[in-house]
Amino acid sequence: MSGKIITISSGKGGVGKSTTTANLGIALALLGKSVICIDADIGLRNLDVMLGLENRIVYDIINVVTKQCSLRKALVRDKHCSNLALLPAAQICDKSAISEDEMERIAREAAEQADFVFIDSPAGIEHGFRYAVKPADLVLLVTNPEVPAVRDADRVIGLLEAAGRAPVQLIINRLNPELVRRDVMLDADSIVNLLAIKLVGIVPEDPAILIAGNRGQPVVLDKQSLAGKSFRNIGRRLTGEEIPFMSLQAPSWLQRIFRFQR
Amino acid sequence: MRFANLFRQRRPDSDKKIATQRLQLVLSHDRANISPGMLEKLKDEIIAVISKHLDIESDQVCVNFQKNYRETRLVADIPLKKHTGRSKRV
């Protein structure tokens, strides 16, 4: 078996890479796929807390690189889905502890054991970014509807194109439909137009994401949440299903009044 | 909708539009790896070279980036002076 290796990247920090990785990992596991999530942000690990697995970690990626333990032994099984596992980042080392080739070897080994391997890339465009995208079959670029985030995303696309690397697809995270309606926030069309890459999903801003992060229960498990549904839809698109984009248009005040009357 | 536009038109550019325009400019400079100042210098040099051979309206020259999908090109729009060449000799 050789699964698909998908790296989640962004350039800019804080746009929701780890949130996206955790949620897409669970989304695909819920679809019955076997999934391994690799936290590549060595020194600043966070995917473990997003998934609520911080108390179960024994080994980390550096133990696997230095052959102190096998990949299988270092994997932490998820508590929500038994077919999802996490390879945690090391917390006391820094990014120079791992080379591009070593990351590629680990990701390929993981892909032999799973249908999907997600690599949560560190922010920035330095060594950590380079080793995270090296083994990727697909790079999912996460951005926010803000000028700095879109600019950094464009920079990452340029770097990946120049290196002849994997295809890049876009996820717009934290879109606020109400602000878009009032013409104060960049809309998805403008961003896709500027970046000129394929869009795989739009995730609306949703307080449920914050709460999910606090509890270590990714929002994708929340059937009520719109953001959760977005992540489930992206998961299905990654398996090749054609899912139309949800309408995220916020109702205008007139529509709201009429809805109230009905 | 048209009624709403009556009010909208009086307002300055929306924040969304400003953000889009600023991004467009920043991205074209980022992609071409040239700063706005350097582009201005390049424009002056182009004007100097072209002026050697042609009479041009140097204050109307427009040098800018045009984006098509992920390909960027530098486009120079250089208007010639109206009475040049043959008409000058008359």
Side-chain angles (χ1 to χ4, degrees), chain A residues 151-152 154-155, chain B residues 23-35 65:
Chain A
R151 183 192 200 181
D152 290 359
D154 188 74
R155 205 47 197 118
Chain B
L23 260 171
Q24 234 155 14
L25 196 72
V26 178
L27 293 192
S28 57
H29 287 124
D30 283 359
R31 284 174 191 170
N33 195 17
I34 187 169
S35 64
F65 293 106

Side-chain angles (χ1 to χ4, degrees), chain A residues 150-167:
Chain A
V150 177
R151 183 192 200 181
D152 290 359
D154 188 74
R155 205 47 197 118
V156 170
I157 299 169
L159 288 171
L160 291 169
E161 272 181 352
R165 282 283 154 76

Side-chain angles (χ1 to χ4, degrees), chain A residues 14 43 75 106 121 140 221 259:
Chain A
L75 290 176
I106 289 173
S121 161
L140 285 183
L221 295 161
R259 192 187 288 172

Side-chain angles (χ1 to χ4, degrees), chain B residues 31-68:
Chain B
R31 284 174 191 170
N33 195 17
I34 187 169
S35 64
M38 276 305 289
L39 185 65
E40 207 48 40
K41 207 175 149 205
L42 175 71
K43 183 176 134 184
D44 291 341
E45 287 176 21
I46 289 174
I47 291 173
V49 171
I50 307 278
S51 304
K52 276 192 215 164
H53 307 281
L54 289 166
D55 265 348
I56 58 173
E57 301 278 5
S58 46
D59 52 340
Q60 287 173 35
V61 170
C62 185
V63 177
N64 238 321
F65 293 106
Q66 248 175 35
K67 186 180 81 81
N68 178 25

Side-chain angles (χ1 to χ4, degrees), chain A residues 6-256:
Chain A
I6 300 176
T7 297
I8 318 285
S9 195
S10 70
K12 189 176 176 299
V15 297
K17 281 182 300 296
S18 298
T19 303
T20 304
T21 310
N23 281 290
L24 291 184
I26 292 187
L28 282 156
L30 290 173
L31 292 170
K33 308 288 180 190
S34 55
V35 182
I36 294 175
C37 291
I38 300 176
D39 189 347
D41 202 350
I42 295 164
L44 293 167
R45 81 169 168 221
N46 264 329
L47 198 53
D48 54 341
V49 287
M50 298 274 182
L51 289 163
L53 298 175
E54 65 275 18
N55 291 330
R56 303 187 180 192
I57 295 174
V58 181
Y59 299 105
D60 59 47
I61 191 168
I62 298 300
N63 298 131
V64 181
V65 169
T66 55
K67 303 210 163 102
Q68 286 168 290
C69 77
S70 66
L71 171 65
R72 209 174 269 277
K73 205 170 165 191
L75 290 176
V76 184
R77 208 138 290 285
D78 184 59
K79 55 184 175 190
H80 312 285
C81 307
S82 60
N83 47 343
L84 170 68
L86 166 73
L87 178 59
Q91 188 68 320
I92 44 160
C93 304
D94 63 41
K95 286 165 185 78
S96 62
I98 184 167
S99 72
E100 288 182 33
D101 289 342
E102 283 163 339
M103 179 55 95
E104 172 135 39
R105 185 177 60 79
I106 289 173
R108 296 258 168 256
E109 195 186 333
E112 279 164 25
Q113 304 175 21
D115 300 316
F116 284 89
V117 174
F118 286 101
I119 302 175
D120 185 14
S121 161
I125 49 173
E126 294 81 25
H127 178 61
F129 159 75
R130 286 198 299 270
Y131 67 55
V133 296
K134 175 90 192 295
D137 298 314
L138 170 70
V139 177
L140 285 183
L141 198 54
V142 182
T143 195
N144 292 162
E146 299 164 9
V147 174
V150 177
R151 183 192 200 181
D152 290 359
D154 188 74
R155 205 47 197 118
V156 170
I157 299 169
L159 288 171
L160 291 169
E161 272 181 352
R165 282 283 154 76
V168 200
Q169 297 182 356
L170 184 68
I171 293 176
I172 300 172
N173 187 26
R174 224 172 266 158
L175 187 108
N176 185 321
E178 170 61 16
L179 294 185
V180 171
R181 192 187 64 75
R182 279 165 45 201
D183 264 357
V184 291
M185 182 181 261
L186 285 164
D187 62 331
D189 281 349
S190 307
I191 297 171
V192 172
N193 234 325
L194 285 162
L195 295 179
I197 58 169
K198 191 184 170 206
L199 180 71
V200 280
I202 305 167
V203 182
E205 191 168 48
D206 187 343
I209 293 182
L210 176 84
I211 296 163
N214 289 343
R215 293 177 173 271
Q217 286 174 346
V219 75
V220 70
L221 295 161
D222 180 353
K223 295 275 183 275
Q224 308 296 317
S225 144
L226 208 56
K229 192 177 179 204
S230 302
F231 282 122
R232 288 195 295 277
N233 282 352
I234 298 171
R236 288 167 71 186
R237 285 185 198 114
L238 291 177
T239 66
E241 257 187 272
E242 292 275 339
I243 310 284
F245 287 100
M246 283 192 291
S247 167
L248 292 175
Q249 221 142 44
S252 69
W253 62 272
L254 262 175
Q255 283 170 319
R256 250 180 257 166

